[in-house]
Amino acid sequence: MTDQPAPTRPGEELDIARLQAYLLEHLPGAEGRLEVLQFPSGFSNLTYLLRLGGQELVLRRPPFGANIKTAHDMAREYRILSALKPVYPKVPRPLLYCPDDSVIGAPFYLMERLHGVVLRTQPPPDLTPERMRRICEAALEALVELHSLDYQKAGLGDLGRPEGYVERQVRGWTERYQKARTEAVPGMEQAMEWLAAHIPPGSSAALIHNDFKYDNLMLNPADPTQVMAVLDWEMATLGDPLMDLGTTLGYWAEPDDPPGLRRFGLTHLPGNLRRAELVAAYAAHSGRSVDNIVFYYVFGLFKVGVIMQQIFARYQKGYTRDQRFAVLIHLIREIGQKIQKAIATGEI
């Protein structure tokens, strides 16, 4: 169940000759011929496996056709990993940042390749309910640990602006949805109004990942109940940690949720905590109040829906030919229905 690379998707190839020349000049110890493969999972930044001589490296770059100056800032992601590694060892070791977009068409960075288990849509054959519960608890502990970090001590005190974070996020994701909208989805439309009218006071600031879910966790292959690494830090910032929890809840499908939502991961399998149980466990471990959790859940659903909408819009415009994206509009509609239900019932 370790992530395995595949041939690069059409339209997402890298200039191997230019990249090899750059690495031989700038990467300490680099030698030999470069081979490039691509990790096929993931929906945002593109991830490649580089084999250079005896080394294996991972390259991250923005998706083709994306605005690389905002949501896909490689320099920022590289800086976060560099600062976190000494204080939060559950991150890959960053190796090199390249700001020169003439090499492969966009800035990129390199990090060490880790070998571990990533839970995606197919469960490992030995994933019993008891083991699933221990993985679920380990994931929760990793999130609570992240939210308890002293980000000032890590040198990340200027990473974001915690004051007014929730309001800015609601406004920002609303604007992103409006720009990427391809059809009116009733639940998504309702969410924009409802979130703006129900912004809570917020809680104390923390370093937040903003995309914390099973397929962004790498588990120890010797003991999959241990979180070895947290991946994909492109949206990390300083803000209300309950917004982080809300995003996790947005991805956290339960057994009776629509089938499209259950494609997000394995949270619907026996052994996982239900969403309400996850929230209660987070409150117990972190000591934070979760009184306004419905707001954070609706925000998480809306944010996930916007991410899917942005990807679907890129697909429609021909910026990517990845056929996985063709059906995302159906998923966005399901998310809209979940938003409507949460608002109507006041439950997650």
Side-chain angles (χ1 to χ4, degrees):
M1 298 300 294
T2 57
D3 263 12
Q4 296 299 322
T8 304
R9 284 188 293 262
E12 296 178 352
E13 298 89 351
L14 305 181
D15 187 327
I16 293 179
R18 292 178 71 92
L19 179 58
Q20 176 175 299
Y22 183 88
L23 297 182
L24 292 177
E25 181 180 353
H26 294 90
L27 182 66
E31 60 180 6
R33 187 178 66 86
L34 177 64
E35 178 189 3
V36 177
L37 297 168
Q38 186 176 28
F39 290 102
S41 301
F43 287 86
S44 186
N45 285 340
L46 303 178
T47 308
Y48 300 82
L49 174 67
L50 309 186
R51 291 185 176 130
L52 184 62
Q55 296 188 74
E56 283 196 337
L57 313 162
V58 173
L59 181 149
R60 293 262 288 171
R61 62 147 291 160
F64 290 82
N67 184 343
I68 63 174
K69 297 186 182 301
T70 54
H72 304 279
D73 187 338
M74 295 292 99
R76 187 175 183 275
E77 190 171 340
Y78 182 80
R79 179 204 165 193
I80 290 169
L81 291 178
S82 301
L84 275 181
K85 188 60 179 176
V87 296
Y88 188 72
K90 296 183 177 69
V91 296
R93 181 166 55 94
L95 300 173
L96 178 70
Y97 168 67
C98 173
D100 184 357
D101 60 9
S102 71
V103 179
I104 62 168
F108 66 90
Y109 75 88
L110 297 181
M111 57 185 170
E112 66 176 331
R113 188 194 182 184
L114 298 175
H115 294 268
V117 175
V118 179
L119 299 182
R120 299 200 185 275
T121 56
Q122 295 299 320
D126 57 348
L127 187 60
T128 63
E130 293 75 20
R131 179 168 285 187
M132 186 76 258
R133 175 57 61 94
R134 291 175 62 194
I135 292 173
C136 178
E137 291 169 347
L140 177 65
E141 289 169 6
L143 183 63
V144 172
E145 181 186 357
L146 174 63
H147 291 170
S148 67
L149 280 182
D150 186 339
Y151 56 82
Q152 295 283 3
K153 187 176 179 181
L156 294 172
D158 62 344
L159 187 64
R161 295 178 293 133
E163 187 175 347
Y165 175 78
V166 176
E167 184 177 3
R168 288 197 310 276
Q169 286 293 293
V170 170
R171 185 171 61 250
W173 285 101
T174 295
E175 291 171 355
R176 292 182 189 99
Y177 179 69
Q178 290 170 335
K179 290 177 181 177
R181 181 167 41 197
T182 52
E183 69 172 64
V185 177
M188 297 291 286
E189 305 293 328
Q190 183 181 1
M192 291 188 285
E193 239 179 84
W194 188 86
L195 288 169
H198 292 82
I199 293 175
S203 64
S204 57
L207 176 64
I208 59 179
H209 180 274
N210 262 329
D211 202 24
F212 197 95
K213 52 194 174 78
Y214 278 157
D215 65 358
N216 278 336
L217 304 180
M218 182 170 283
L219 308 177
N220 187 338
D223 181 3
T225 64
Q226 296 178 359
V227 176
M228 187 169 72
V230 181
L231 309 174
D232 294 2
W233 291 84
E234 62 184 287
M235 292 193 286
T237 190
L238 304 181
D240 184 344
L242 295 181
M243 295 288 268
D244 214 2
L245 179 60
T247 298
T248 299
L249 294 173
Y251 285 111
W252 200 272
E254 295 183 348
D256 52 352
D257 281 333
L261 294 178
R262 296 200 301 271
R263 292 175 56 201
F264 279 141
L266 304 179
T267 59
H268 60 283
L269 295 183
N272 280 289
L273 297 170
R274 307 280 290 197
R275 284 188 291 266
E277 293 173 325
L278 190 73
V279 170
Y282 177 88
H285 283 77
S286 68
R288 290 189 171 88
S289 169
V290 292
D291 290 345
N292 296 302
I293 197 60
V294 173
F295 170 88
Y296 294 102
Y297 174 53
V298 170
F299 170 79
L301 284 170
F302 178 68
K303 174 182 167 182
V304 172
V306 175
I307 293 170
M308 298 298 107
Q309 182 63 59
Q310 289 177 310
I311 296 169
F312 181 69
R314 283 211 326 269
Y315 174 81
Q316 278 208 331
K317 293 175 181 176
Y319 290 132
T320 175
R321 287 178 276 171
D322 190 334
Q323 289 302 308
R324 294 177 302 159
F325 303 156
V327 298
L328 286 182
I329 190 61
H330 305 295
L331 181 56
I332 297 163
R333 293 169 188 156
E334 288 185 358
I335 290 172
Q337 292 167 5
K338 291 296 293 183
I339 289 171
Q340 290 178 306
K341 182 178 180 181
I343 291 174
T345 64
E347 297 177 352
I348 66 169

